[in-house]
Amino acid sequence: MAGWTVTAHKPASGFAFETEYEGLTLKPAELWVLPPTAGERGEYFGLRVGVPGLNRDDEARTLAALWIVLDTGLGEKRCAESIAHLEVEPLPKQPAQRGHIELVELSDYLVRRASQGQAAS
């Protein structure tokens, strides 16, 4: 089509799935994220993800698997445009009391963030 540029992106699929990556299984329903604090808010931000049973020897594989989870759940474009940095930590006890939100709520969090005038696609 003359004058058009078509760019395909993987659409958002939500977080109702499990993923396996190099022998590691992640269940998004069991993951919690620590969103940035007020002083860390900007156009791009990082997330700290609490992973149950995280083995520090598996951090690199876990990070790679988490990028796949986020890319699938949020969609390729939104993930790339919203999240600049990712860290993992063992899931703390009582994560909600420590400021974490469930990963399955991340999409809604990004919508609220955008409605408050902070960039998030």
Side-chain angles (χ1 to χ4, degrees):
M1 300 183 316
W4 284 63
T5 301
V6 177
T7 305
H9 294 283
K10 184 180 358 175
S13 297
F15 292 105
F17 65 92
E18 292 181 17
T19 193
E20 290 197 29
Y21 179 80
E22 294 185 3
L24 178 71
T25 300
L26 287 181
K27 300 174 184 179
E30 296 178 352
L31 304 174
W32 289 70
V33 297
L34 183 61
T37 62
E40 299 170 323
R41 294 177 189 255
E43 183 175 357
Y44 300 101
F45 65 89
L47 292 175
R48 180 173 296 144
V49 181
V51 180
L54 176 67
N55 179 341
R56 289 293 184 182
D57 293 336
D58 290 334
E59 274 190 38
R61 283 189 312 154
T62 303
L63 280 170
L66 282 170
W67 280 114
I68 294 167
V69 166
L70 293 169
D71 189 60
T72 301
L74 297 174
E76 181 179 11
K77 183 177 184 209
R78 189 174 202 191
C79 180
E81 290 181 344
S82 299
I83 302 170
H85 179 75
L86 191 59
E87 296 177 5
V88 294
E89 67 178 352
L91 182 65
K93 293 180 188 218
Q94 303 177 343
Q97 292 179 356
R98 297 189 67 200
H100 290 67
I101 62 171
E102 293 179 88
L103 177 69
V104 297
E105 297 175 8
L106 184 58
S107 184
D108 291 339
Y109 170 83
L110 293 173
V111 169
R112 285 191 308 274
R113 179 181 161 85
S115 72
Q116 294 171 353
Q118 296 164 341
S121 299

